[in-house]
Amino acid sequence: MNTLNDHELMVANRNFYEPLWRDARLVEPERFNTWPLVSQLLTKATRHLEVAPGLRPRLPVDGTTFVDISMHALTKLAVGSGSPVMASIGRLPFADGTFDLLCALDIIEHVDDDQRAMAELARVATIGATLLLSTPLHPEMWTPFDDFVGHRRRYEPKQIQALLLHHGFIIERSAVFGMKPRSSLLLDLGMWFLQHRRERAMKWYNRVMPYTMRLQKSLQLHEGLINTDEVGEILLVCKRVSPGSTPS
């Protein structure tokens, strides 16, 4: 795969997602299957950061700081009483140890320098903070959809575990994750419409989204890292620990 510099990568992602969020509607976090988990975490966390949520935030809009590169997404989050900041995950404009609950879903696989991205998440997290992170797994599961949405990689399970550990995060719980349709034909059709009939595709998407939300399965969280055989995407509940306290 070709390597893009920071500017090229931001342009590529913005060119795909900015038109998407321009025509999409904000979906309230309470409607996702992550909400029971988030509600539980909110009882012990007061300073929240969500990176690159687009218009699908999982943390409560009111009281959460959002970082994104899409002006359309940030504008709509601001209307919902969020605190939006235009920035990228590789350069978070916050002081060390600012947040005790962080969310970065479907983002780490999009950045070229995932080491720097993880270092920034670790830097702005307090010791003991919780990080919710999701990412696709298994390079052999790569499909045209990965190219279409701007993925840079799929992780081997040991690879993402090692990346987290290197930056002071341990995996406490995990679950199978993702809402991508199983039908490759449906995916191909959706990609074609987004490329060639975007306005019609977004009207259809906004219309059916409320119904697809009802089809979400409850998160089945397990201690540690689940068996990832044939798991295409995973949600990880991680804890930021003190330097030197991570197992070797």
Side-chain angles (χ1 to χ4, degrees), residues 71-87:
M71 182 56 70
H72 288 300
L74 293 174
T75 299
K76 293 179 182 180
L77 287 166
V79 172
S81 301
S83 299
V85 178
M86 174 73 75

Side-chain angles (χ1 to χ4, degrees), residues 14-89:
R14 183 174 281 145
N15 285 344
F16 177 80
Y17 285 102
E18 189 73 328
L20 185 70
W21 300 138
R22 179 193 63 206
D23 299 322
R25 299 170 185 165
L26 177 67
V27 178
E28 298 83 359
E30 294 85 354
R31 304 184 69 174
F32 289 99
N33 64 354
T34 46
W35 185 247
L37 169 63
V38 168
S39 297
Q40 178 189 62
L41 295 172
L42 288 172
T43 62
K44 298 181 180 180
T46 57
R47 294 166 292 167
H48 321 141
L49 171 68
E50 186 162 0
V51 180
L55 293 175
R56 307 291 179 261
R58 304 307 173 93
L59 300 187
V61 177
D62 188 15
T64 295
T65 299
F66 294 101
V67 165
D68 209 298
I69 61 172
S70 166
M71 182 56 70
H72 288 300
L74 293 174
T75 299
K76 293 179 182 180
L77 287 166
V79 172
S81 301
S83 299
V85 178
M86 174 73 75
S88 68
I89 192 173

